[in-house]
PDB file of all heavy atoms in Angstrom:
ATOM      1  N   ILE A 216     115.509  84.128 105.396  1.00 95.00           N
ATOM      2  CA  ILE A 216     114.696  83.110 104.726  1.00 95.00           C
ATOM      3  C   ILE A 216     113.537  82.677 105.621  1.00 95.00           C
ATOM      4  O   ILE A 216     112.397  82.555 105.162  1.00 95.00           O
ATOM      5  CB  ILE A 216     115.567  81.905 104.302  1.00 95.00           C
ATOM      6  CG1 ILE A 216     116.508  82.321 103.171  1.00 95.00           C
ATOM      7  CG2 ILE A 216     114.711  80.724 103.879  1.00 95.00           C
ATOM      8  CD1 ILE A 216     117.575  81.291 102.844  1.00 95.00           C
ATOM      9  N   ALA A 217     113.807  82.468 106.909  1.00 91.00           N
ATOM     10  CA  ALA A 217     112.749  82.074 107.837  1.00 91.00           C
ATOM     11  C   ALA A 217     111.675  83.155 107.952  1.00 91.00           C
ATOM     12  O   ALA A 217     110.476  82.852 107.982  1.00 91.00           O
ATOM     13  CB  ALA A 217     113.347  81.782 109.213  1.00 91.00           C
ATOM     14  N   ALA A 218     112.096  84.411 107.992  1.00 91.00           N
ATOM     15  CA  ALA A 218     111.132  85.511 108.080  1.00 91.00           C
ATOM     16  C   ALA A 218     110.266  85.588 106.822  1.00 91.00           C
ATOM     17  O   ALA A 218     109.042  85.754 106.905  1.00 91.00           O
ATOM     18  CB  ALA A 218     111.857  86.835 108.305  1.00 91.00           C
ATOM     19  N   LEU A 219     110.875  85.443 105.663  1.00 94.00           N
ATOM     20  CA  LEU A 219     110.114  85.520 104.413  1.00 94.00           C
ATOM     21  C   LEU A 219     109.159  84.346 104.262  1.00 94.00           C
ATOM     22  O   LEU A 219     108.027  84.511 103.782  1.00 94.00           O
ATOM     23  CB  LEU A 219     111.067  85.603 103.219  1.00 94.00           C
ATOM     24  CG  LEU A 219     111.899  86.894 103.133  1.00 94.00           C
ATOM     25  CD1 LEU A 219     112.858  86.829 101.958  1.00 94.00           C
ATOM     26  CD2 LEU A 219     111.010  88.115 103.062  1.00 94.00           C
ATOM     27  N   VAL A 220     109.573  83.156 104.692  1.00 92.00           N
ATOM     28  CA  VAL A 220     108.692  81.988 104.645  1.00 92.00           C
ATOM     29  C   VAL A 220     107.511  82.179 105.600  1.00 92.00           C
ATOM     30  O   VAL A 220     106.363  81.873 105.254  1.00 92.00           O
ATOM     31  CB  VAL A 220     109.476  80.694 104.970  1.00 92.00           C
ATOM     32  CG1 VAL A 220     108.548  79.536 105.252  1.00 92.00           C
ATOM     33  CG2 VAL A 220     110.428  80.359 103.839  1.00 92.00           C
ATOM     34  N   THR A 221     107.782  82.705 106.783  1.00 89.00           N
ATOM     35  CA  THR A 221     106.713  82.947 107.751  1.00 89.00           C
ATOM     36  C   THR A 221     105.721  83.979 107.221  1.00 89.00           C
ATOM     37  O   THR A 221     104.503  83.809 107.356  1.00 89.00           O
ATOM     38  CB  THR A 221     107.299  83.423 109.090  1.00 89.00           C
ATOM     39  OG1 THR A 221     108.244  82.454 109.548  1.00 89.00           O
ATOM     40  CG2 THR A 221     106.223  83.600 110.135  1.00 89.00           C
ATOM     41  N   ILE A 222     106.221  85.039 106.592  1.00 89.00           N
ATOM     42  CA  ILE A 222     105.346  86.053 106.006  1.00 89.00           C
ATOM     43  C   ILE A 222     104.467  85.427 104.922  1.00 89.00           C
ATOM     44  O   ILE A 222     103.260  85.688 104.848  1.00 89.00           O
ATOM     45  CB  ILE A 222     106.180  87.221 105.448  1.00 89.00           C
ATOM     46  CG1 ILE A 222     106.779  88.027 106.605  1.00 89.00           C
ATOM     47  CG2 ILE A 222     105.337  88.127 104.547  1.00 89.00           C
ATOM     48  CD1 ILE A 222     107.843  89.008 106.187  1.00 89.00           C
ATOM     49  N   ALA A 223     105.055  84.579 104.098  1.00 90.00           N
ATOM     50  CA  ALA A 223     104.288  83.916 103.039  1.00 90.00           C
ATOM     51  C   ALA A 223     103.222  82.989 103.630  1.00 90.00           C
ATOM     52  O   ALA A 223     102.092  82.924 103.116  1.00 90.00           O
ATOM     53  CB  ALA A 223     105.228  83.139 102.121  1.00 90.00           C
ATOM     54  N   LEU A 224     103.567  82.281 104.703  1.00 87.00           N
ATOM     55  CA  LEU A 224     102.594  81.388 105.344  1.00 87.00           C
ATOM     56  C   LEU A 224     101.422  82.165 105.934  1.00 87.00           C
ATOM     57  O   LEU A 224     100.270  81.727 105.839  1.00 87.00           O
ATOM     58  CB  LEU A 224     103.274  80.555 106.432  1.00 87.00           C
ATOM     59  CG  LEU A 224     104.209  79.445 105.953  1.00 87.00           C
ATOM     60  CD1 LEU A 224     104.921  78.806 107.134  1.00 87.00           C
ATOM     61  CD2 LEU A 224     103.425  78.401 105.176  1.00 87.00           C
ATOM     62  N   VAL A 225     101.702  83.308 106.543  1.00 85.00           N
ATOM     63  CA  VAL A 225     100.624  84.110 107.120  1.00 85.00           C
ATOM     64  C   VAL A 225      99.698  84.609 106.020  1.00 85.00           C
ATOM     65  O   VAL A 225      98.472  84.567 106.156  1.00 85.00           O
ATOM     66  CB  VAL A 225     101.194  85.292 107.941  1.00 85.00           C
ATOM     67  CG1 VAL A 225     100.106  86.283 108.306  1.00 85.00           C
ATOM     68  CG2 VAL A 225     101.870  84.794 109.188  1.00 85.00           C
ATOM     69  N   ARG A 226     100.268  85.066 104.926  1.00 85.00           N
ATOM     70  CA  ARG A 226      99.427  85.530 103.820  1.00 85.00           C
ATOM     71  C   ARG A 226      98.573  84.397 103.259  1.00 85.00           C
ATOM     72  O   ARG A 226      97.410  84.581 102.938  1.00 85.00           O
ATOM     73  CB  ARG A 226     100.290  86.142 102.721  1.00 85.00           C
ATOM     74  CG  ARG A 226     100.843  87.470 103.122  1.00 85.00           C
ATOM     75  CD  ARG A 226     101.598  88.100 102.006  1.00 85.00           C
ATOM     76  NE  ARG A 226     102.118  89.377 102.467  1.00 85.00           N
ATOM     77  CZ  ARG A 226     102.366  90.384 101.679  1.00 85.00           C
ATOM     78  NH1 ARG A 226     102.166  90.271 100.383  1.00 85.00           N
ATOM     79  NH2 ARG A 226     102.830  91.509 102.162  1.00 85.00           N
ATOM     80  N   LYS A 227      99.163  83.215 103.137  1.00 85.00           N
ATOM     81  CA  LYS A 227      98.424  82.058 102.627  1.00 85.00           C
ATOM     82  C   LYS A 227      97.295  81.690 103.586  1.00 85.00           C
ATOM     83  O   LYS A 227      96.174  81.411 103.167  1.00 85.00           O
ATOM     84  CB  LYS A 227      99.392  80.884 102.441  1.00 85.00           C
ATOM     85  CG  LYS A 227      98.750  79.588 102.048  1.00 85.00           C
ATOM     86  CD  LYS A 227      98.699  79.465 100.566  1.00 85.00           C
ATOM     87  CE  LYS A 227      98.306  78.045 100.219  1.00 85.00           C
ATOM     88  NZ  LYS A 227      97.160  78.011  99.348  1.00 85.00           N
ATOM     89  N   ALA A 228      97.591  81.702 104.890  1.00 80.00           N
ATOM     90  CA  ALA A 228      96.572  81.354 105.882  1.00 80.00           C
ATOM     91  C   ALA A 228      95.436  82.368 105.887  1.00 80.00           C
ATOM     92  O   ALA A 228      94.271  81.995 106.020  1.00 80.00           O
ATOM     93  CB  ALA A 228      97.199  81.266 107.267  1.00 80.00           C
ATOM     94  N   LYS A 229      95.768  83.647 105.753  1.00 77.00           N
ATOM     95  CA  LYS A 229      94.715  84.663 105.731  1.00 77.00           C
ATOM     96  C   LYS A 229      93.835  84.528 104.494  1.00 77.00           C
ATOM     97  O   LYS A 229      92.632  84.711 104.566  1.00 77.00           O
ATOM     98  CB  LYS A 229      95.337  86.058 105.761  1.00 77.00           C
ATOM     99  CG  LYS A 229      95.692  86.528 107.133  1.00 77.00           C
ATOM    100  CD  LYS A 229      96.147  87.972 107.060  1.00 77.00           C
ATOM    101  CE  LYS A 229      96.335  88.558 108.417  1.00 77.00           C
ATOM    102  NZ  LYS A 229      96.729  89.965 108.331  1.00 77.00           N
ATOM    103  N   SER A 230      94.421  84.190 103.358  1.00 75.00           N
ATOM    104  CA  SER A 230      93.630  84.061 102.136  1.00 75.00           C
ATOM    105  C   SER A 230      92.781  82.788 102.144  1.00 75.00           C
ATOM    106  O   SER A 230      91.741  82.741 101.502  1.00 75.00           O
ATOM    107  CB  SER A 230      94.534  84.076 100.905  1.00 75.00           C
ATOM    108  OG  SER A 230      95.308  82.895 100.842  1.00 75.00           O
ATOM    109  N   ASP A 231      93.216  81.763 102.873  1.00 73.00           N
ATOM    110  CA  ASP A 231      92.471  80.506 102.942  1.00 73.00           C
ATOM    111  C   ASP A 231      91.482  80.471 104.105  1.00 73.00           C
ATOM    112  O   ASP A 231      90.935  79.415 104.409  1.00 73.00           O
ATOM    113  CB  ASP A 231      93.439  79.321 103.108  1.00 73.00           C
ATOM    114  CG  ASP A 231      94.219  79.021 101.860  1.00 73.00           C
ATOM    115  OD1 ASP A 231      93.863  79.563 100.799  1.00 73.00           O
ATOM    116  OD2 ASP A 231      95.177  78.235 101.943  1.00 73.00           O
ATOM    117  N   ASN A 232      91.271  81.605 104.791  1.00 71.00           N
ATOM    118  CA  ASN A 232      90.458  81.608 106.006  1.00 71.00           C
ATOM    119  C   ASN A 232      90.947  80.525 106.955  1.00 71.00           C
ATOM    120  O   ASN A 232      90.322  79.491 107.121  1.00 71.00           O
ATOM    121  CB  ASN A 232      88.971  81.418 105.704  1.00 71.00           C
ATOM    122  CG  ASN A 232      88.367  82.632 105.079  1.00 71.00           C
ATOM    123  OD1 ASN A 232      88.814  83.747 105.345  1.00 71.00           O
ATOM    124  ND2 ASN A 232      87.365  82.429 104.250  1.00 71.00           N
ATOM    125  N   SER A 233      92.069  80.776 107.568  1.00 64.00           N
ATOM    126  CA  SER A 233      92.848  79.796 108.316  1.00 64.00           C
ATOM    127  C   SER A 233      92.006  78.743 109.041  1.00 64.00           C
ATOM    128  O   SER A 233      90.864  78.967 109.393  1.00 64.00           O
ATOM    129  CB  SER A 233      93.764  80.503 109.308  1.00 64.00           C
ATOM    130  OG  SER A 233      93.068  80.949 110.419  1.00 64.00           O
ATOM    131  N   SER A 234      92.632  77.604 109.241  1.00 74.00           N
ATOM    132  CA  SER A 234      91.970  76.474 109.887  1.00 74.00           C
ATOM    133  C   SER A 234      92.731  76.121 111.155  1.00 74.00           C
ATOM    134  O   SER A 234      93.702  76.776 111.511  1.00 74.00           O
ATOM    135  CB  SER A 234      91.952  75.284 108.931  1.00 74.00           C
ATOM    136  OG  SER A 234      93.273  74.884 108.656  1.00 74.00           O
ATOM    137  N   LYS A 235      92.306  75.050 111.812  1.00 79.00           N
ATOM    138  CA  LYS A 235      92.988  74.631 113.037  1.00 79.00           C
ATOM    139  C   LYS A 235      94.448  74.275 112.768  1.00 79.00           C
ATOM    140  O   LYS A 235      95.309  74.537 113.582  1.00 79.00           O
ATOM    141  CB  LYS A 235      92.269  73.434 113.659  1.00 79.00           C
ATOM    142  CG  LYS A 235      90.993  73.781 114.352  1.00 79.00           C
ATOM    143  CD  LYS A 235      90.400  72.563 115.031  1.00 79.00           C
ATOM    144  CE  LYS A 235      89.118  72.925 115.738  1.00 79.00           C
ATOM    145  NZ  LYS A 235      88.541  71.792 116.442  1.00 79.00           N
ATOM    146  N   GLY A 236      94.706  73.678 111.609  1.00 82.00           N
ATOM    147  CA  GLY A 236      96.082  73.323 111.262  1.00 82.00           C
ATOM    148  C   GLY A 236      96.985  74.540 111.183  1.00 82.00           C
ATOM    149  O   GLY A 236      98.116  74.535 111.672  1.00 82.00           O
ATOM    150  N   TRP A 237      96.485  75.612 110.560  1.00 83.00           N
ATOM    151  CA  TRP A 237      97.264  76.851 110.471  1.00 83.00           C
ATOM    152  C   TRP A 237      97.494  77.437 111.863  1.00 83.00           C
ATOM    153  O   TRP A 237      98.588  77.920 112.170  1.00 83.00           O
ATOM    154  CB  TRP A 237      96.557  77.883 109.597  1.00 83.00           C
ATOM    155  CG  TRP A 237      96.629  77.613 108.142  1.00 83.00           C
ATOM    156  CD1 TRP A 237      95.593  77.251 107.332  1.00 83.00           C
ATOM    157  CD2 TRP A 237      97.775  77.675 107.283  1.00 83.00           C
ATOM    158  NE1 TRP A 237      96.032  77.091 106.044  1.00 83.00           N
ATOM    159  CE2 TRP A 237      97.364  77.350 105.984  1.00 83.00           C
ATOM    160  CE3 TRP A 237      99.110  77.981 107.499  1.00 83.00           C
ATOM    161  CZ2 TRP A 237      98.233  77.314 104.902  1.00 83.00           C
ATOM    162  CZ3 TRP A 237      99.987  77.947 106.423  1.00 83.00           C
ATOM    163  CH2 TRP A 237      99.544  77.613 105.148  1.00 83.00           C
ATOM    164  N   ASP A 238      96.460  77.396 112.705  1.00 85.00           N
ATOM    165  CA  ASP A 238      96.586  77.971 114.039  1.00 85.00           C
ATOM    166  C   ASP A 238      97.638  77.224 114.861  1.00 85.00           C
ATOM    167  O   ASP A 238      98.450  77.849 115.554  1.00 85.00           O
ATOM    168  CB  ASP A 238      95.238  77.962 114.752  1.00 85.00           C
ATOM    169  CG  ASP A 238      94.241  78.902 114.097  1.00 85.00           C
ATOM    170  OD1 ASP A 238      94.672  79.942 113.563  1.00 85.00           O
ATOM    171  OD2 ASP A 238      93.042  78.592 114.118  1.00 85.00           O
ATOM    172  N   VAL A 239      97.643  75.913 114.776  1.00 89.00           N
ATOM    173  CA  VAL A 239      98.644  75.120 115.496  1.00 89.00           C
ATOM    174  C   VAL A 239     100.046  75.422 114.944  1.00 89.00           C
ATOM    175  O   VAL A 239     101.000  75.583 115.710  1.00 89.00           O
ATOM    176  CB  VAL A 239      98.319  73.608 115.401  1.00 89.00           C
ATOM    177  CG1 VAL A 239      99.459  72.766 115.941  1.00 89.00           C
ATOM    178  CG2 VAL A 239      97.023  73.296 116.126  1.00 89.00           C
ATOM    179  N   LEU A 240     100.160  75.533 113.620  1.00 87.00           N
ATOM    180  CA  LEU A 240     101.452  75.870 113.013  1.00 87.00           C
ATOM    181  C   LEU A 240     101.954  77.210 113.523  1.00 87.00           C
ATOM    182  O   LEU A 240     103.135  77.348 113.863  1.00 87.00           O
ATOM    183  CB  LEU A 240     101.330  75.901 111.485  1.00 87.00           C
ATOM    184  CG  LEU A 240     102.577  76.397 110.750  1.00 87.00           C
ATOM    185  CD1 LEU A 240     103.717  75.395 110.895  1.00 87.00           C
ATOM    186  CD2 LEU A 240     102.273  76.671 109.305  1.00 87.00           C
ATOM    187  N   PHE A 241     101.080  78.202 113.624  1.00 87.00           N
ATOM    188  CA  PHE A 241     101.519  79.516 114.074  1.00 87.00           C
ATOM    189  C   PHE A 241     101.835  79.544 115.558  1.00 87.00           C
ATOM    190  O   PHE A 241     102.679  80.319 115.996  1.00 87.00           O
ATOM    191  CB  PHE A 241     100.500  80.586 113.694  1.00 87.00           C
ATOM    192  CG  PHE A 241     100.484  80.849 112.223  1.00 87.00           C
ATOM    193  CD1 PHE A 241      99.311  80.816 111.515  1.00 87.00           C
ATOM    194  CD2 PHE A 241     101.653  81.091 111.525  1.00 87.00           C
ATOM    195  CE1 PHE A 241      99.294  81.035 110.150  1.00 87.00           C
ATOM    196  CE2 PHE A 241     101.660  81.304 110.166  1.00 87.00           C
ATOM    197  CZ  PHE A 241     100.476  81.279 109.475  1.00 87.00           C
ATOM    198  N   ILE A 242     101.194  78.694 116.342  1.00 90.00           N
ATOM    199  CA  ILE A 242     101.582  78.569 117.753  1.00 90.00           C
ATOM    200  C   ILE A 242     103.009  78.037 117.836  1.00 90.00           C
ATOM    201  O   ILE A 242     103.841  78.553 118.582  1.00 90.00           O
ATOM    202  CB  ILE A 242     100.596  77.674 118.526  1.00 90.00           C
ATOM    203  CG1 ILE A 242      99.256  78.379 118.677  1.00 90.00           C
ATOM    204  CG2 ILE A 242     101.158  77.305 119.899  1.00 90.00           C
ATOM    205  CD1 ILE A 242      98.165  77.520 119.272  1.00 90.00           C
ATOM    206  N   VAL A 243     103.306  77.020 117.046  1.00 91.00           N
ATOM    207  CA  VAL A 243     104.664  76.447 117.039  1.00 91.00           C
ATOM    208  C   VAL A 243     105.672  77.478 116.539  1.00 91.00           C
ATOM    209  O   VAL A 243     106.747  77.655 117.137  1.00 91.00           O
ATOM    210  CB  VAL A 243     104.702  75.165 116.174  1.00 91.00           C
ATOM    211  CG1 VAL A 243     106.126  74.683 115.979  1.00 91.00           C
ATOM    212  CG2 VAL A 243     103.849  74.073 116.802  1.00 91.00           C
ATOM    213  N   LEU A 244     105.343  78.189 115.456  1.00 87.00           N
ATOM    214  CA  LEU A 244     106.254  79.218 114.948  1.00 87.00           C
ATOM    215  C   LEU A 244     106.440  80.340 115.960  1.00 87.00           C
ATOM    216  O   LEU A 244     107.533  80.898 116.079  1.00 87.00           O
ATOM    217  CB  LEU A 244     105.730  79.786 113.625  1.00 87.00           C
ATOM    218  CG  LEU A 244     105.846  78.883 112.407  1.00 87.00           C
ATOM    219  CD1 LEU A 244     105.201  79.550 111.201  1.00 87.00           C
ATOM    220  CD2 LEU A 244     107.286  78.536 112.118  1.00 87.00           C
ATOM    221  N   GLY A 245     105.396  80.678 116.678  1.00 88.00           N
ATOM    222  CA  GLY A 245     105.506  81.702 117.712  1.00 88.00           C
ATOM    223  C   GLY A 245     106.419  81.283 118.845  1.00 88.00           C
ATOM    224  O   GLY A 245     107.203  82.081 119.354  1.00 88.00           O
ATOM    225  N   VAL A 246     106.350  80.012 119.223  1.00 90.00           N
ATOM    226  CA  VAL A 246     107.226  79.508 120.280  1.00 90.00           C
ATOM    227  C   VAL A 246     108.675  79.457 119.779  1.00 90.00           C
ATOM    228  O   VAL A 246     109.595  79.899 120.472  1.00 90.00           O
ATOM    229  CB  VAL A 246     106.760  78.113 120.765  1.00 90.00           C
ATOM    230  CG1 VAL A 246     107.811  77.475 121.653  1.00 90.00           C
ATOM    231  CG2 VAL A 246     105.435  78.236 121.482  1.00 90.00           C
ATOM    232  N   LEU A 247     108.881  78.962 118.571  1.00 87.00           N
ATOM    233  CA  LEU A 247     110.239  78.866 118.034  1.00 87.00           C
ATOM    234  C   LEU A 247     110.844  80.240 117.764  1.00 87.00           C
ATOM    235  O   LEU A 247     112.036  80.456 117.994  1.00 87.00           O
ATOM    236  CB  LEU A 247     110.247  78.035 116.750  1.00 87.00           C
ATOM    237  CG  LEU A 247     109.930  76.561 116.896  1.00 87.00           C
ATOM    238  CD1 LEU A 247     109.888  75.883 115.531  1.00 87.00           C
ATOM    239  CD2 LEU A 247     110.949  75.880 117.792  1.00 87.00           C
TER     240      LEU A 247
END
Side-chain angles (χ1 to χ4, degrees):
I216 291 170
L219 293 177
V220 166
T221 304
I222 289 168
L224 288 174
V225 169
R226 288 184 181 207
K227 174 91 169 126
K229 277 186 172 182
S230 69
D231 288 348
N232 288 330
S233 77
S234 63
K235 285 184 180 182
W237 285 111
D238 293 328
V239 171
L240 173 68
F241 289 128
I242 290 173
V243 171
L244 287 176
V246 169
L247 292 176

